Amino acid sequence: DILLDTLKRRPLRAVDMVNSLDLDPDEVDELLKGLLIKGSIRKQEHSGEIFYMSSEEGRIEEFRDLGNITDGQ
């Protein structure tokens, strides 16, 4: 699954997934819901925005670099 593979590399907002993967927003929402239910991903608020990331251990340190994701948007 390309979405899960992407989230294993870095946390993203839903809008980032829509734009970078050229997917329909409704499709992204449905995929995210399914992955959340399965426990494959989790979501976390950072600076007032919701980011999605892999549920794999050790991902929390990614938030140190989240400023790079939203710069210029």
Side-chain angles (χ1 to χ4, degrees):
D1 180 55
I2 192 166
L3 185 58
L4 185 55
D5 289 341
T6 301
L7 292 174
K8 285 180 182 178
R9 288 192 291 273
R10 68 186 296 178
L12 294 172
R13 302 172 298 166
V15 68
D16 299 322
M17 292 174 235
V18 168
N19 294 332
S20 65
L21 300 174
D22 196 29
L23 296 172
D24 178 75
D26 292 332
E27 183 180 2
V28 168
D29 286 342
E30 289 302 314
L31 290 168
L32 289 172
K33 285 178 191 175
L35 291 169
L36 284 165
I37 290 169
K38 287 181 187 177
S40 300
I41 64 169
R42 60 190 172 93
K43 62 182 180 177
Q44 185 168 337
E45 183 178 342
H46 180 75
S47 299
E49 298 193 85
I50 300 296
F51 286 83
Y52 297 88
M53 66 201 70
S54 170
S55 292
E56 293 178 359
E57 294 294 322
R59 300 299 295 173
I60 205 73
E61 71 275 0
E62 292 286 336
F63 278 100
R64 289 181 291 182
D65 299 321
L66 279 180
N68 297 331
I69 295 172
T70 57
D71 288 348
Q73 294 186 12

